């Protein structure tokens, strides 16, 4: 595997003009090294816990707890009827207490809490630890991640992602979106955390069970981030993450370019899978041509021959039109 390209001394101008337009993952070394929470983490794990707990609200969040035998790898059960771990509600203080109590254990329980909105669980965090690369007023979700030596399977996120390591080393392995066929993805409508994820253990891949993963390895990139480092991930890039230390904390920023929407193309994928799965091959081929033309613009703008007011969903969409379209789609689904 190749290393993820690294950048040093990145400011907002360089981020917007060089890193993001490249459309590829990038390690931003030392980006948040001056954050107060990183200074607390470098002092000690207890200092980190004290920093976060003193600012936390006590609101419960979902956390994952796995027995020692899963060795930190959260996954499905063997028959895909459930998961190999329990999910319970806990506050930031309770989660940190459980993580700290596992230190030094020969066979620790795996503890993981992901995507905790900081506005709800640690209000004031953003003001104390500002992100220099993003406009504070833009629409984005800022989340806290806590855990010990745990692994998350390779998965994708719809938004762009800036993952900032606060405490403990984190190893990232990333794959381009087009590697979906080589990653042996699990169910797309029953997932550990919302997005479909790879069944391959990135730490110990079983190539006899997943032989095409060898092709994904040829284009994979990896990096280990230290506290104070950040990783930029473009939309839809697959990424697996492994916590290397007994106490890990990360903050990430998710945002989308263009207007914020409640619907995502993933809903379209699910809808298409439901409606096209049993079609004969010749019909699927015909629909593929339609999708290429109307959705992916393989032949350019599909409606320049129509006046603007007659382009419907393929033109400028008003709020009223979108409301009518949602109602039209919901009707058949609710039958």
């Amino acid at each position: 595997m190749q290393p993820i390209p690294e950048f040093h001394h990145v400011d907002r101008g360089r981020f917007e003009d060089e890193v993001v337009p490249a459309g590829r993952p990038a390690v931003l070394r030392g980006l948040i090294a001056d954050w107060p929470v990183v200074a607390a983490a470098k002092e000690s794990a207890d200092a980190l816990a004290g920093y976060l707990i003193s600012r936390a609200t006590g609101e419960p969040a979902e956390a994952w707890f796995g027995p020692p035998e899963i060795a930190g790898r959260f996954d499905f059960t063997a028959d895909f009827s459930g998961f190999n771990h329990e999910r319970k509600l806990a506050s930031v203080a309770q989660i940190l207490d459980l993580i700290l109590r596992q230190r030094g254990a020969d066979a620790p329980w795996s503890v993981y809490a992901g995507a905790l909105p900081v506005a709800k669980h640690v209000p004031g965090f953003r003001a104390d630890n500002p992100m220099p690369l993003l406009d504070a007023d833009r629409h984005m979700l800022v989340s806290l991640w806590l855990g010990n030596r745990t692994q998350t399977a390779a998965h994708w996120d719809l938004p762009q992602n800036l993952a900032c390591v606060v405490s403990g080393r984190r190893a990232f392995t990333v794959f381009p979106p087009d590697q979906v066929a080589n990653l042996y993805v699990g169910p797309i409508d029953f997932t550990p955390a919302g997005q479909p994820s790879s069944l391959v253990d990135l730490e110990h891949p079983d190539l006899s069970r997943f032989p095409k993963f060898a092709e994904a390895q040829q284009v994979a990139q990896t990096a280990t981030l230290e506290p104070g480092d950040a990783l930029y991930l473009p939309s839809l890039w697959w990424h697996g993450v492994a916590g290397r230390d007994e106490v890990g904390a990360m903050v990430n920023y998710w945002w989308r370019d263009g207007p914020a929407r409640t619907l995502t193309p993933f809903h379209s994928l699910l809808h298409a899978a439901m409606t096209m799965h049993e079609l004969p091959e010749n019909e699927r081929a015909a629909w593929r041509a339609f999708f290429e033309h109307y959705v992916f613009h393989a032949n350019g703008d599909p409606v320049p021959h129509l006046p603007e007011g007659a382009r419907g969903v393929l033109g400028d969409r008003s709020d009223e039109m979108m409301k009518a379209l949602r109602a039209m789609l919901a009707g058949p689904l609710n039958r």
Side-chain angles (χ1 to χ4, degrees):
M1 297 186 187
Q2 300 298 311
I4 300 174
E6 296 188 5
F7 294 77
H8 297 262
H9 311 296
V10 174
D11 59 15
R12 184 169 175 178
R14 191 180 181 198
F15 181 67
E16 294 179 347
D17 296 340
E18 183 178 351
V19 175
V20 174
R24 302 188 66 83
V27 174
L28 312 179
R29 293 292 183 191
L31 177 70
I32 58 159
D34 60 349
W35 274 8
V37 68
V38 174
K42 288 183 176 180
E43 179 183 338
S44 69
D46 293 295
L48 168 69
Y51 180 96
L52 292 173
I53 291 171
S54 68
R55 293 161 174 80
T57 62
E59 286 284 334
E62 183 178 89
W64 299 0
F65 305 94
E69 52 265 29
I70 76 169
R73 184 167 184 262
F74 296 100
D75 201 354
F76 293 96
T77 54
D79 62 358
F80 290 90
S81 62
F83 305 107
N84 66 351
H85 54 278
E86 294 184 82
R87 302 176 179 209
K88 297 182 179 180
L89 294 178
S91 67
V92 168
Q94 291 170 324
I95 295 165
L96 285 165
D97 177 64
L98 289 168
I99 292 171
L100 294 178
R101 281 198 279 158
Q102 298 294 310
R103 289 178 294 178
D106 293 332
W109 277 66
S110 300
V111 182
Y112 174 80
L116 311 184
V118 298
K120 179 179 181 180
H121 297 281
V122 194
F125 180 94
R126 291 179 62 185
D128 294 340
N129 302 273
M131 168 45 63
L133 303 186
L134 302 173
D135 188 337
D137 294 330
R138 82 179 303 162
H139 181 77
M140 58 185 167
L141 177 62
V142 185
S143 302
L144 174 68
W145 306 70
L146 300 169
N148 48 12
R149 288 192 178 99
T150 58
Q151 302 173 50
T152 55
H155 62 283
W156 52 264
D157 294 313
L158 177 63
Q160 298 183 77
N161 189 355
L162 194 58
C164 303
V165 176
V166 168
S167 174
R169 297 164 298 154
R170 287 192 179 235
F172 286 80
T173 305
V174 302
F175 307 86
D178 64 9
Q179 289 303 303
V180 58
N182 297 325
L183 291 175
Y184 296 89
V185 180
I188 66 170
D189 50 355
F190 177 59
T191 67
Q195 292 78 31
S197 58
S198 171
L199 301 178
V200 180
D201 183 349
L202 298 182
E203 302 282 285
H204 307 285
D206 183 352
L207 296 182
S208 63
R209 181 184 177 193
F210 306 118
K212 291 194 296 183
F213 182 69
E215 297 180 41
Q217 287 179 306
Q218 297 301 311
V219 295
Q221 295 180 325
T222 63
T224 297
L225 274 61
E226 304 281 345
D229 295 336
L231 175 67
Y232 168 68
L233 279 167
S235 174
L236 300 180
W237 273 70
W238 297 90
H239 54 285
V241 190
R244 297 301 192 207
D245 295 302
E246 291 183 310
V247 179
M250 185 180 77
V251 172
N252 88 304
Y253 298 76
W254 276 318
W255 74 96
R256 296 181 67 186
D257 291 333
R261 296 185 178 93
T262 56
L263 296 175
T264 84
F266 185 58
H267 294 148
S268 301
L269 178 64
L270 292 173
H271 194 176
M274 180 175 65
T275 58
M276 297 185 183
H277 180 69
E278 296 177 337
L279 293 181
E281 175 55 33
N282 63 323
E283 289 189 31
R284 289 203 302 272
W287 279 109
R288 185 181 300 114
F290 288 175
F291 272 71
E292 288 287 346
H293 181 69
Y294 285 110
V295 177
F296 300 109
H297 295 187
N299 308 304
D301 185 350
V303 289
H305 55 286
L306 295 176
E308 186 63 43
R311 294 178 182 181
V313 69
L314 299 176
D316 292 332
R317 296 175 293 275
S318 66
D319 291 340
E320 293 76 14
M321 179 185 292
M322 294 301 292
K323 182 177 180 180
L325 284 169
R326 283 193 289 269
M328 182 182 72
L329 292 171
L333 290 173
N334 290 327
R335 289 174 186 166

